[in-house]
């Protein structure tokens, strides 16, 4: 059996966190890690106790959902709330951070950003990361499925199936789910 790399493990955690998202427009998860230990996680959604986009629709202002707090910000705020330092930490995000999250990541002292999917990658965010000497690296989520069928036990197959089920039940987009199912089918098919 092939063991997951740390990057794959933490990225898988971020995708699982994304399954808690309450915004219909984009499902995002973020995991903050220091010394190979998860110190916080976040997903995009409304404020605690607030109305959720999945219940009443997105509250759009200038093309953005004003109701939603981004996953990266939720993870950083969780560290602040519980007194966990982010200085020198790493963050694993399902999608490339927006400019506002980029600035928060830099100000929080996070030194490395790993993301799975490109999403409106703004050149200014890239410039800010470079100026602040923050390492940015793409870690595609499909790396999680590099295991061959014969390398998987029944428990592992059940776990992966449950992960798909949770992502789907929590509102992961049809396009994203279809892409993940297609990739899994190719990887797990006989001779694939």
């Amino acid at each position: 059996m092939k063991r997951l790399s740390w990057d794959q493990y933490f990225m898988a955690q971020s995708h699982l966190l994304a399954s808690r998202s309450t915004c219909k427009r984009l499902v995002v998860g973020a995991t903050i890690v220091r010394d190979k230990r998860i110190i916080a996680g976040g997903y995009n959604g409304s404020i605690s106790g607030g109305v959720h986009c999945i219940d009443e629709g997105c509250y759009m202002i200038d093309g953005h959902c004003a109701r939603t707090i981004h996953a990266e910000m939720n993870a950083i705020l969780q560290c602040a709330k519980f007194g966990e330092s982010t200085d020198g930490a790493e963050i694993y995000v399902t999608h490339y951070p927006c400019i506002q999250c980029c600035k928060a990541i830099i100000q929080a002292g996070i030194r490395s950003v790993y993301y799975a999917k490109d999403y409106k990658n703004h050149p200014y965010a890239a410039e800010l990361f470079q100026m602040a000497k923050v390492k940015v690296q793409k870690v595609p989520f499909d790396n999680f499925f590099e295991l061959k069928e014969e390398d998987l036990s029944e428990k592992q197959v059940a776990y992966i199936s449950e992960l798909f089920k949770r992502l789907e039940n929590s509102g992961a987009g049809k396009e994203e789910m279809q892409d993940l199912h297609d990739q899994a089918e190719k990887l797990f098919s006989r001779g694939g």
Side-chain angles (χ1 to χ4, degrees):
M1 180 179 97
K2 186 175 178 180
R3 188 176 184 199
L4 292 176
S5 72
W6 283 113
D7 288 344
Q8 292 167 329
Y9 172 75
F10 294 128
M11 193 58 74
Q13 295 295 322
S14 294
H15 280 274
L16 192 56
L17 280 162
S19 70
R20 293 276 307 149
S21 173
T22 62
C23 188
K24 294 178 177 183
R25 295 183 69 234
L26 186 66
V27 176
V28 181
T31 304
I32 299 178
V33 175
R34 193 177 52 250
D35 300 324
K36 303 291 184 233
R37 183 175 66 87
I38 296 171
I39 60 173
Y43 52 87
N44 59 327
S46 303
I47 60 167
S48 297
V51 173
H52 297 293
C53 300
I54 57 174
D55 297 327
E56 295 192 15
C58 292
Y59 181 45
M60 301 298 292
I61 299 175
D62 296 328
H64 298 281
C65 181
R67 179 175 283 138
T68 302
I69 302 168
H70 291 190
E72 301 94 321
M73 194 65 73
N74 265 329
I76 291 168
L77 291 170
Q78 188 180 80
C79 286
K81 184 175 182 178
F82 295 107
E84 190 69 50
S85 174
T86 53
D87 195 37
E90 303 171 308
I91 190 166
Y92 290 79
V93 191
T94 57
H95 296 76
Y96 191 88
C98 70
I99 293 173
Q100 296 303 321
C101 288
C102 162
K103 292 188 284 187
I105 288 166
I106 292 167
Q107 288 302 98
I110 294 172
R111 301 310 307 158
S112 300
V113 175
Y114 301 93
Y115 70 98
K117 289 187 175 188
D118 292 303
Y119 181 75
K120 299 182 180 179
N121 301 25
H122 199 284
Y124 186 56
E127 183 182 326
L128 289 174
F129 281 138
Q130 185 175 14
M131 183 179 68
K133 295 181 174 56
V134 172
K135 175 185 173 183
V136 178
Q137 181 180 331
K138 188 172 185 179
V139 178
F141 183 58
D142 57 51
N143 284 347
F144 179 72
F145 295 105
E146 284 181 353
L147 302 170
K148 299 285 186 234
E149 182 179 332
E150 58 271 10
D151 292 336
L152 298 175
S153 70
E154 284 183 37
K155 285 183 181 181
Q156 290 167 320
V157 171
Y159 173 80
I160 291 168
S161 296
E162 179 64 21
L163 183 61
F164 271 100
K165 183 178 172 184
R166 287 183 186 185
L167 284 168
E168 194 166 28
N169 288 342
S170 65
K174 289 182 182 181
E175 185 178 302
E176 182 179 10
M177 287 303 300
Q178 186 61 52
D179 182 47
L180 290 172
H181 278 288
D182 291 347
Q183 290 176 39
E185 195 171 291
K186 286 179 191 173
L187 291 169
F188 299 131
S189 65
R190 297 274 181 207

